Amino acid sequence: MNGSRQPICWSDTEGREAALIHTGPSRDLRVDIFRGLALWWIFIDHIPANWIAQFSLRNFALADATEVFVLLAGYAAGIAYGTAYQRHGWLYAAADVVRRAWTLYIAHIFLFVVFSAQVSYSATALDRSEYLDEIHLDVLAEAPYRAMLEALLLSFQPAYLNILPMYVVLLLLFALALPLLSRPLLLAGLSGALYTVARLKGWNLPSWTGGGWYFNPLAWQFLFVLGALLSQHPRRLLAVIPVRVADVAAGLVLVVGLALVWFVWPSDDLSARVPRLLTRLVILVDKEGLHPMRLVSILALTWVLVRLVPFDAAWLRSRFAAPLVLCGQHSLAVFCAGIFLSFLGRLVMEAQDGWWAAQAAVNMVGPVILVAVAALSAWYKTKGRATPDRASAPLALATDMPALSHPGNAKVT
């Protein structure tokens, strides 16, 4: 390795996920840039009538930003905490995972308080009570004290505020599963069994408003675990299916997904033209329990993108990609800011008479603010700190999928 290379911090908060990795050819910026893209998609998808949302992932596949976010979160956790477990044992690594979960919990509570105040004030000032109904904050007026308690217990999750609670639970489950990282087939089998039972039996965590959690962590943990196993045992996992077979299968999955999104779902009389069983199969692709078609879709996307986008692609280090990379490196701060900005963007679009002017203002100013938040977060992380020791290995997916290198030597701080 070139001794002049300076390490930078790959993480969005302090904690064990702050893995130090090199810039230059040893760093896989695809992880950062796709997490940055997921954050942008979350921002634009949360704004009703946002024209540019037509170009988000959900309009081209049976998956969206949530699947991207969870898969990459599992990948990052596998590297950071898997390495800590190998070096220091379960108690040490699990303590770091719990600390990270606590950080996310605090961020969620802060987000809940500020977002609830934002929506409630807007609904009152603009006489738009439908805001409270749509965001599911109407119960704050009916039972405010109980609502606050249930929010602290994560059993009350208004709309837009259900990703971080799921992430907290996924990390806590991962802390228990750390010893099984060295036995990938067993861990994948147990995780897959829990996913299957949760879907078939309807297992979910209880919700105060009924119906269980919007993102069922007992199902979504499977995608998180697959991401973690991919970071630790890439060769074993990717050798299960021959490369050419995987290429064809992934392409077929993406084509079927695109056909469903563009041609099947928009059909008004679909239920009258196809058998009921087939209708249930192609329409009820639920997001809450991570429908198998959504799971297969994100795995196919991952395979295709890693195969098509080289590890050392020049555009990954271009000025064009830099804002997305920066946002991906500081995802927690950017995610929280994006939730506030998405509702603010909705208010702007509804208040402006000029449709194009409102669209342009929201979709140009919003991303700039998100990048500024990421830059500020990066500045705070490095302000007044000495340059840390150089990492010994990258957070990376290699270009040649069957020959993915094991990142177990990555240094974490």
Side-chain angles (χ1 to χ4, degrees):
M1 302 290 291
N2 188 344
S4 64
R5 247 180 230 138
Q6 294 297 320
I8 62 178
C9 185
W10 186 91
S11 181
D12 45 352
T13 63
E14 292 183 359
R16 186 52 57 179
E17 283 187 32
L20 300 180
I21 59 177
H22 294 296
T23 57
S26 64
R27 180 183 178 115
D28 191 342
L29 295 181
R30 292 173 296 183
V31 175
D32 293 332
I33 200 168
F34 287 120
R35 184 140 74 167
L37 267 175
L39 292 166
W40 178 63
W41 287 328
I42 290 173
F43 165 68
I44 64 175
D45 285 342
H46 281 169
I47 304 176
N50 188 2
W51 177 81
I52 203 171
Q54 298 179 78
F55 301 98
S56 67
L57 180 61
R58 67 180 182 180
N59 295 298
F60 298 92
L62 299 180
D64 61 19
T66 308
E67 281 86 358
V68 176
F69 205 81
V70 171
L71 179 67
L72 293 181
Y75 188 88
I79 287 183
Y81 306 119
T83 303
Y85 170 73
Q86 294 171 4
R87 293 182 174 180
H88 306 288
W90 176 80
L91 184 61
Y92 181 96
D96 283 336
V97 177
V98 172
R99 181 176 62 180
R100 171 67 168 161
W102 175 252
T103 299
L104 295 176
Y105 174 80
I106 296 300
H108 170 72
I109 297 303
F110 169 79
L111 185 60
F112 171 84
V113 172
V114 178
F115 183 66
S116 298
Q118 180 190 29
V119 176
S120 301
Y121 177 79
S122 300
T124 303
L126 301 175
D127 193 22
R128 300 290 297 271
S129 60
E130 63 268 22
Y131 290 162
L132 299 177
D133 296 332
E134 293 175 16
I135 308 298
H136 309 308
L137 285 173
D138 49 323
V139 294
L140 281 175
E142 301 170 1
Y145 303 120
R146 178 67 183 276
M148 295 303 295
L149 174 62
E150 298 294 343
L152 290 173
L153 297 175
L154 301 182
S155 59
F156 172 42
Q157 300 172 13
Y160 305 172
L161 304 184
N162 33 42
I163 293 181
L164 288 182
M166 173 186 64
Y167 196 0
V168 169
V169 175
L170 294 183
L171 282 175
L172 295 178
L173 293 175
F174 184 66
L176 298 177
L178 274 172
L180 295 179
L181 274 179
S182 59
R183 305 181 67 181
L185 296 182
L186 176 60
L187 178 55
L190 292 175
S191 179
L194 178 57
Y195 165 78
T196 303
V197 173
R199 287 198 54 85
L200 294 179
K201 299 292 185 179
W203 288 3
N204 197 349
L205 299 185
S207 171
W208 177 45
T209 54
W213 285 29
Y214 180 76
F215 291 119
N216 183 355
L218 301 182
W220 281 82
Q221 53 78 31
F222 189 36
L223 181 59
F224 187 91
V225 167
L226 290 178
L229 289 176
L230 182 61
S231 72
Q232 293 292 300
H233 307 280
R235 294 195 181 196
R236 289 187 69 177
L237 293 180
L238 298 173
V240 174
I241 304 177
V243 174
R244 296 305 178 189
V245 174
D247 288 344
V248 173
L252 181 61
V253 167
L254 297 184
V255 169
V256 170
L258 194 63
L260 288 176
V261 173
W262 283 13
F263 304 110
V264 177
W265 290 351
S267 177
D268 296 329
D269 59 342
L270 177 64
S271 58
R273 294 188 291 110
V274 299
R276 179 178 300 180
L277 180 61
L278 184 58
T279 301
R280 292 176 58 87
L281 178 64
V282 300
I283 292 182
L284 301 181
V285 183
D286 65 284
K287 182 177 182 180
E288 297 85 346
L290 187 60
H291 191 279
M293 294 180 69
R294 297 184 69 98
L295 175 63
V296 172
S297 181
I298 188 60
L299 295 178
L301 275 170
T302 302
W303 177 271
V304 170
L305 287 173
V306 174
R307 291 277 286 163
L308 294 181
V309 181
F311 168 80
D312 57 350
W315 67 268
L316 293 173
R317 292 171 174 81
S318 66
R319 292 182 179 180
F320 170 79
L324 289 175
V325 171
L326 184 63
C327 288
Q329 293 171 352
H330 304 279
S331 58
L332 181 58
V334 174
F335 171 79
C336 293
I339 296 298
F340 303 139
L341 290 174
S342 62
F343 188 77
L344 182 61
R346 172 181 182 171
L347 298 180
V348 171
M349 288 190 178
E350 293 177 349
Q352 294 292 328
D353 294 331
W355 185 84
W356 281 107
Q359 291 278 336
V362 170
N363 290 301
M364 293 179 65
V365 175
V368 170
I369 296 177
L370 294 180
V371 174
V373 169
L376 182 63
S377 179
W379 179 76
Y380 268 106
K381 288 180 182 298
T382 58
K383 180 175 67 70
R385 296 184 182 181
T387 301
D389 293 336
R390 198 172 49 180
S392 58
L395 172 63
L397 286 171
T399 304
D400 184 3
M401 291 291 289
L404 285 172
S405 58
H406 190 286
N409 295 325
K411 183 176 180 179
V412 292
T413 61

